[in-house]
Amino acid sequence: AVTIAPHSGSAPRVDASPLVPGSLEVRLDRGMGATYHQGQEVFIQLAPARAGHLALLVLNPLGRAGVSLTDQQVAAGQVVVSRLGVGKNEGPAAVIGVLSSEALVGMPAVLGRLAVPTDTSTIIKAVEELAARQNARAVFAVAPLTVKAGK
């Protein structure tokens, strides 16, 4: 991931500002619900309104959840840009941004235990439970997309 920031050179300070719905925005380079073809790249912007710890989760067309970016400490207003390659499987998919008050330890293991196929609601519930066990708060932003064959 590439960070584009107001950045002072030191690690961003994570404050106790409340994480409320709308504290995180996820944007795709082609817009929400866009279609991408196999072999293309998806460019994603994650824009938190509050300081915290950022993660980027992926739900592929087969219904498998994974982690693309984990525990990037961010300042309020910082924009993080990430990119993902589109795989060979067709169908609906999604990227899920997670902004948490603390680093969420064990997220890949939690997602790895989810039944396949899974969905965004199940992923969010699993991460919310992980956050609660770690006395953290988390907010989510989902960006759906579709994967098609060819170019």
Side-chain angles (χ1 to χ4, degrees):
V2 176
T3 300
I4 302 172
H7 189 58
S8 64
S10 61
R13 186 176 152 279
V14 178
D15 59 24
S17 299
L19 294 177
V20 296
S23 294
L24 177 63
E25 187 177 345
V26 175
R27 297 181 214 112
L28 304 178
D29 60 328
R30 296 184 187 172
M32 295 295 178
T35 298
Y36 294 84
H37 295 280
Q38 297 164 344
Q40 292 181 325
E41 290 187 325
V42 180
F43 289 87
I44 303 148
Q45 289 184 348
L46 300 138
R50 307 270 191 222
H53 297 264
L54 195 61
L56 178 62
L57 312 180
V58 178
L59 175 62
N60 75 17
L62 295 177
R64 286 194 174 96
V67 179
S68 175
L69 172 70
T70 184
D71 192 28
Q72 177 151 347
Q73 199 170 5
V74 292
Q78 184 174 346
V79 176
V80 175
V81 178
S82 187
R83 71 178 181 198
L84 299 171
V86 175
K88 63 182 181 180
N89 299 301
E90 291 185 88
V95 294
I96 305 165
V98 181
L99 179 64
S100 58
S101 58
E102 305 293 331
L104 298 180
V105 178
M107 199 170 338
V110 166
L111 296 180
R113 288 191 293 270
L114 295 177
V116 175
T118 191
D119 56 45
T120 55
S121 297
T122 303
I123 293 167
I124 290 169
K125 182 178 178 191
V127 174
E128 283 176 331
E129 289 170 358
L130 175 67
R133 286 193 303 272
Q134 296 179 20
N135 295 316
R137 299 173 318 278
V139 294
F140 304 84
V142 178
L145 58 108
T146 301
V147 176
K148 296 224 174 181
K151 288 199 178 207

